[in-house]
Each structure stands twice: as structure tokens, then as C-alpha cells.
Amino acid sequence: MSDLHETLFGVLEGNFGIPRTEVSPGTKLTELGLESLARAELALILRDRLAVALTDEDVPEDTTVGDVIELLSTRVAEAGAREAG
């Protein structure tokens, strides 16, 4: 499991009380009970924890756990490229 998976799963479990056993890449955030405000909170927590650009608009209603991991991977790479350049 990647660091991003671990971070996301840890936030879902620690901040939202969602057991890791209920989370898979294809699970929609709404299926985990994360409605609009919770998805916004998730975006803020991940932004702060990973120091990446992330807003509530990046996690719309149909977003899956896999989508979030893919987005985080892209944003972390972009942040690394900006720091290197």
C-alpha cells in the first residue's frame, strides 16, 4: 500500500470513523457517508497533511476513493515538480 493510500485510509478512519475494511478504490465517498460538508473537510485535511492544492471542488459527489488517490498522486507530483524547478 502506498503512502497516499495509507494517508487517505488513516484520515478516513481517524477523522471520520470509517474502518479500513469498508474502504476500497471503487468505493464512492458518499457510500462511506461523506456528504458535501464531510468531503470539503476531507479535502482540507488532506491539503494540510500533504501540502498540496486541494479544494472541495476536487471531490464532487461521485468521487471514489481511487479517484482521490489518483488526484493526490497528481497533486503531490506537481508540488514536487514546482519545488524542484
Side-chain angles (χ1 to χ4, degrees):
M1 183 177 295
S2 75
D3 288 344
L4 293 176
H5 282 86
E6 190 58 38
T7 298
L8 178 58
F9 286 27
V11 168
L12 290 172
E13 187 170 50
N15 293 80
F16 297 97
I18 300 168
R20 293 169 189 248
T21 55
E22 293 183 19
V23 181
S24 71
T27 306
K28 289 186 179 183
L29 296 179
T30 53
E31 293 172 340
L32 297 173
L34 298 181
E35 299 302 329
S36 182
L37 290 176
R39 290 191 315 273
E41 183 179 355
L42 175 65
L44 290 173
I45 292 167
L46 292 170
R47 181 191 71 193
D48 291 346
R49 196 159 293 177
L50 299 170
V52 296
L54 194 64
T55 69
D56 59 327
E57 294 176 3
D58 293 317
V59 286
E61 186 173 344
D62 62 344
T63 302
T64 65
V65 170
D67 294 336
V68 174
I69 292 168
E70 204 171 297
L71 176 63
L72 291 174
S73 179
T74 299
R75 297 291 168 87
V76 167
E78 289 170 352
R82 276 194 300 276
E83 286 180 16

